[in-house]
Amino acid sequence: MTAATTVSSDLRRDEVVTTIPFRRLVAVELRKSVDTRAARATLVIPVGLSGLGLLLVLVLSAEPSLELAVLPAALVGVVMPIIGVMTMTSEWSQRTALVTFWLVPRRSRVLAAKVVATTLLAVATIAATFVTFVLVGVLALSLRGLPVDFGAFDDEMLAMLLATGSGIYLGLAWGALLRWTAAAVVAVIVIPAVVDPLLWVALGDRAQWLTCGTVQAALGGTETAPGAVLTSLLLWYVVPFGLGWFLQVRREAA
């Protein structure tokens, strides 16, 4: 009876697994990313505050220009790694790993869905920030009676947003490795804010080969040696993400 029950259970489980397409897994991860007030606030508030910051800059500046939008855009970059962390650690921090990985025993599909969902969130956040800045910029300059000159705004702004958006993958990498939300959040704050400056002080120009900020600097348009970008990418993104993926696939769900 026990053997028959086990076989029947396994068959039902296989039926469930085969009926869950990958797009549904992505949709589930997206919904989980915005289903709480805290999650929605994490996405919306930085965009709103950066738009307000741009408004103040344009109103108070003696020579206002849309190119000044690059400065408040950095605020969005602060929360990007946190979004990645929250998505990647959700199964362990909310203790849903047992249910999720029972329904989808191929854990790599769940992890891949998290990466895709987080990428979509990053794109949506970048697009929302860009549109907000354009609207705020046009409104502020028009109210001051100044011409709206986009100039290098498009290129510089998109480069800045791409650079800040890449931080979401830093959050994914360290969230996958540490699996504990608090520890991963501390890591993605300490690495760029403490570790990178210390490396620059200790190594000078050679620090670009080891700092995580090298990747973001290259995306932001800073001329950087390709080898330095590669080593930075491997050290802070690829290696922790690969190791975290390996550990999550094999860790016992509880």
PDB file of all heavy atoms in Angstrom, residues 55-72:
ATOM      1  N   LEU A  55      13.552  67.642 -10.035  1.00  0.00           N
ATOM      2  CA  LEU A  55      12.751  68.870 -10.030  1.00  0.00           C
ATOM      3  C   LEU A  55      13.431  69.960  -9.211  1.00  0.00           C
ATOM      4  O   LEU A  55      13.533  71.120  -9.645  1.00  0.00           O
ATOM      5  CB  LEU A  55      11.359  68.575  -9.472  1.00  0.00           C
ATOM      6  CG  LEU A  55      10.395  69.765  -9.384  1.00  0.00           C
ATOM      7  CD1 LEU A  55      10.127  70.341 -10.771  1.00  0.00           C
ATOM      8  CD2 LEU A  55       9.105  69.343  -8.703  1.00  0.00           C
ATOM      9  N   LEU A  56      13.918  69.598  -8.031  1.00  0.00           N
ATOM     10  CA  LEU A  56      14.603  70.578  -7.175  1.00  0.00           C
ATOM     11  C   LEU A  56      15.882  71.077  -7.837  1.00  0.00           C
ATOM     12  O   LEU A  56      16.208  72.274  -7.770  1.00  0.00           O
ATOM     13  CB  LEU A  56      14.922  69.943  -5.820  1.00  0.00           C
ATOM     14  CG  LEU A  56      13.714  69.604  -4.937  1.00  0.00           C
ATOM     15  CD1 LEU A  56      14.160  68.875  -3.679  1.00  0.00           C
ATOM     16  CD2 LEU A  56      12.945  70.874  -4.573  1.00  0.00           C
ATOM     17  N   VAL A  57      16.628  70.168  -8.471  1.00  0.00           N
ATOM     18  CA  VAL A  57      17.868  70.564  -9.144  1.00  0.00           C
ATOM     19  C   VAL A  57      17.575  71.562 -10.261  1.00  0.00           C
ATOM     20  O   VAL A  57      18.275  72.582 -10.407  1.00  0.00           O
ATOM     21  CB  VAL A  57      18.596  69.324  -9.696  1.00  0.00           C
ATOM     22  CG1 VAL A  57      19.733  69.741 -10.630  1.00  0.00           C
ATOM     23  CG2 VAL A  57      19.166  68.488  -8.560  1.00  0.00           C
ATOM     24  N   LEU A  58      16.549  71.281 -11.045  1.00  0.00           N
ATOM     25  CA  LEU A  58      16.233  72.162 -12.169  1.00  0.00           C
ATOM     26  C   LEU A  58      15.666  73.503 -11.708  1.00  0.00           C
ATOM     27  O   LEU A  58      15.883  74.528 -12.344  1.00  0.00           O
ATOM     28  CB  LEU A  58      15.234  71.466 -13.102  1.00  0.00           C
ATOM     29  CG  LEU A  58      15.752  70.228 -13.835  1.00  0.00           C
ATOM     30  CD1 LEU A  58      14.662  69.616 -14.692  1.00  0.00           C
ATOM     31  CD2 LEU A  58      16.975  70.561 -14.687  1.00  0.00           C
ATOM     32  N   VAL A  59      14.938  73.484 -10.600  1.00  0.00           N
ATOM     33  CA  VAL A  59      14.359  74.722 -10.097  1.00  0.00           C
ATOM     34  C   VAL A  59      15.415  75.610  -9.446  1.00  0.00           C
ATOM     35  O   VAL A  59      15.409  76.840  -9.611  1.00  0.00           O
ATOM     36  CB  VAL A  59      13.222  74.417  -9.094  1.00  0.00           C
ATOM     37  CG1 VAL A  59      12.786  75.682  -8.363  1.00  0.00           C
ATOM     38  CG2 VAL A  59      12.027  73.801  -9.813  1.00  0.00           C
ATOM     39  N   LEU A  60      16.336  75.007  -8.710  1.00  0.00           N
ATOM     40  CA  LEU A  60      17.321  75.768  -7.939  1.00  0.00           C
ATOM     41  C   LEU A  60      18.597  76.077  -8.712  1.00  0.00           C
ATOM     42  O   LEU A  60      19.354  76.965  -8.326  1.00  0.00           O
ATOM     43  CB  LEU A  60      17.671  75.010  -6.654  1.00  0.00           C
ATOM     44  CG  LEU A  60      16.503  74.743  -5.695  1.00  0.00           C
ATOM     45  CD1 LEU A  60      16.967  73.920  -4.503  1.00  0.00           C
ATOM     46  CD2 LEU A  60      15.875  76.063  -5.234  1.00  0.00           C
ATOM     47  N   SER A  61      18.855  75.343  -9.773  1.00  0.00           N
ATOM     48  CA  SER A  61      20.106  75.528 -10.503  1.00  0.00           C
ATOM     49  C   SER A  61      20.096  76.841 -11.277  1.00  0.00           C
ATOM     50  O   SER A  61      19.079  77.244 -11.853  1.00  0.00           O
ATOM     51  CB  SER A  61      20.325  74.361 -11.473  1.00  0.00           C
ATOM     52  OG  SER A  61      21.476  74.585 -12.263  1.00  0.00           O
ATOM     53  N   ALA A  62      21.260  77.486 -11.293  1.00  0.00           N
ATOM     54  CA  ALA A  62      21.377  78.738 -12.048  1.00  0.00           C
ATOM     55  C   ALA A  62      21.366  78.474 -13.552  1.00  0.00           C
ATOM     56  O   ALA A  62      20.888  79.300 -14.333  1.00  0.00           O
ATOM     57  CB  ALA A  62      22.669  79.455 -11.657  1.00  0.00           C
ATOM     58  N   GLU A  63      21.906  77.340 -13.969  1.00  0.00           N
ATOM     59  CA  GLU A  63      21.918  76.962 -15.379  1.00  0.00           C
ATOM     60  C   GLU A  63      21.324  75.564 -15.516  1.00  0.00           C
ATOM     61  O   GLU A  63      22.043  74.573 -15.664  1.00  0.00           O
ATOM     62  CB  GLU A  63      23.335  77.004 -15.933  1.00  0.00           C
ATOM     63  CG  GLU A  63      23.970  78.388 -15.886  1.00  0.00           C
ATOM     64  CD  GLU A  63      25.368  78.386 -16.468  1.00  0.00           C
ATOM     65  OE1 GLU A  63      25.828  77.303 -16.894  1.00  0.00           O
ATOM     66  OE2 GLU A  63      25.996  79.452 -16.503  1.00  0.00           O
ATOM     67  N   PRO A  64      19.992  75.468 -15.431  1.00  0.00           N
ATOM     68  CA  PRO A  64      19.354  74.151 -15.467  1.00  0.00           C
ATOM     69  C   PRO A  64      19.493  73.480 -16.826  1.00  0.00           C
ATOM     70  O   PRO A  64      19.460  74.129 -17.866  1.00  0.00           O
ATOM     71  CB  PRO A  64      17.887  74.468 -15.158  1.00  0.00           C
ATOM     72  CG  PRO A  64      17.708  75.872 -15.609  1.00  0.00           C
ATOM     73  CD  PRO A  64      19.012  76.558 -15.330  1.00  0.00           C
ATOM     74  N   SER A  65      19.673  72.185 -16.794  1.00  0.00           N
ATOM     75  CA  SER A  65      19.782  71.384 -18.010  1.00  0.00           C
ATOM     76  C   SER A  65      19.336  69.967 -17.693  1.00  0.00           C
ATOM     77  O   SER A  65      19.525  69.470 -16.571  1.00  0.00           O
ATOM     78  CB  SER A  65      21.225  71.374 -18.518  1.00  0.00           C
ATOM     79  OG  SER A  65      21.387  70.393 -19.528  1.00  0.00           O
ATOM     80  N   LEU A  66      18.767  69.311 -18.675  1.00  0.00           N
ATOM     81  CA  LEU A  66      18.318  67.944 -18.463  1.00  0.00           C
ATOM     82  C   LEU A  66      19.483  66.999 -18.191  1.00  0.00           C
ATOM     83  O   LEU A  66      19.297  65.916 -17.668  1.00  0.00           O
ATOM     84  CB  LEU A  66      17.521  67.456 -19.679  1.00  0.00           C
ATOM     85  CG  LEU A  66      16.072  67.937 -19.763  1.00  0.00           C
ATOM     86  CD1 LEU A  66      15.434  67.478 -21.055  1.00  0.00           C
ATOM     87  CD2 LEU A  66      15.273  67.429 -18.575  1.00  0.00           C
ATOM     88  N   GLU A  67      20.674  67.427 -18.551  1.00  0.00           N
ATOM     89  CA  GLU A  67      21.841  66.587 -18.280  1.00  0.00           C
ATOM     90  C   GLU A  67      22.083  66.435 -16.777  1.00  0.00           C
ATOM     91  O   GLU A  67      22.777  65.518 -16.337  1.00  0.00           O
ATOM     92  CB  GLU A  67      23.079  67.167 -18.960  1.00  0.00           C
ATOM     93  CG  GLU A  67      22.977  67.141 -20.487  1.00  0.00           C
ATOM     94  CD  GLU A  67      24.210  67.700 -21.160  1.00  0.00           C
ATOM     95  OE1 GLU A  67      25.255  67.788 -20.492  1.00  0.00           O
ATOM     96  OE2 GLU A  67      24.135  68.053 -22.346  1.00  0.00           O
ATOM     97  N   LEU A  68      21.517  67.332 -15.969  1.00  0.00           N
ATOM     98  CA  LEU A  68      21.634  67.230 -14.517  1.00  0.00           C
ATOM     99  C   LEU A  68      20.859  66.030 -13.966  1.00  0.00           C
ATOM    100  O   LEU A  68      21.008  65.674 -12.803  1.00  0.00           O
ATOM    101  CB  LEU A  68      21.125  68.515 -13.854  1.00  0.00           C
ATOM    102  CG  LEU A  68      21.919  69.794 -14.144  1.00  0.00           C
ATOM    103  CD1 LEU A  68      21.208  70.998 -13.546  1.00  0.00           C
ATOM    104  CD2 LEU A  68      23.328  69.685 -13.583  1.00  0.00           C
ATOM    105  N   ALA A  69      20.037  65.405 -14.793  1.00  0.00           N
ATOM    106  CA  ALA A  69      19.254  64.244 -14.354  1.00  0.00           C
ATOM    107  C   ALA A  69      20.125  63.072 -13.986  1.00  0.00           C
ATOM    108  O   ALA A  69      19.699  62.161 -13.273  1.00  0.00           O
ATOM    109  CB  ALA A  69      18.270  63.831 -15.462  1.00  0.00           C
ATOM    110  N   VAL A  70      21.352  63.068 -14.455  1.00  0.00           N
ATOM    111  CA  VAL A  70      22.267  61.966 -14.140  1.00  0.00           C
ATOM    112  C   VAL A  70      22.509  61.874 -12.637  1.00  0.00           C
ATOM    113  O   VAL A  70      22.681  60.774 -12.097  1.00  0.00           O
ATOM    114  CB  VAL A  70      23.600  62.158 -14.886  1.00  0.00           C
ATOM    115  CG1 VAL A  70      24.622  61.109 -14.451  1.00  0.00           C
ATOM    116  CG2 VAL A  70      23.368  62.065 -16.397  1.00  0.00           C
ATOM    117  N   LEU A  71      22.487  63.003 -11.944  1.00  0.00           N
ATOM    118  CA  LEU A  71      22.786  63.006 -10.514  1.00  0.00           C
ATOM    119  C   LEU A  71      21.708  62.307  -9.686  1.00  0.00           C
ATOM    120  O   LEU A  71      22.001  61.353  -8.965  1.00  0.00           O
ATOM    121  CB  LEU A  71      23.000  64.444 -10.032  1.00  0.00           C
ATOM    122  CG  LEU A  71      24.150  65.210 -10.709  1.00  0.00           C
ATOM    123  CD1 LEU A  71      24.191  66.647 -10.211  1.00  0.00           C
ATOM    124  CD2 LEU A  71      25.476  64.511 -10.437  1.00  0.00           C
ATOM    125  N   PRO A  72      20.440  62.728  -9.752  1.00  0.00           N
ATOM    126  CA  PRO A  72      19.426  62.030  -8.954  1.00  0.00           C
ATOM    127  C   PRO A  72      19.143  60.617  -9.431  1.00  0.00           C
ATOM    128  O   PRO A  72      18.568  59.814  -8.691  1.00  0.00           O
ATOM    129  CB  PRO A  72      18.187  62.925  -9.100  1.00  0.00           C
ATOM    130  CG  PRO A  72      18.404  63.707 -10.340  1.00  0.00           C
ATOM    131  CD  PRO A  72      19.881  63.913 -10.430  1.00  0.00           C
TER     132      PRO A  72
END
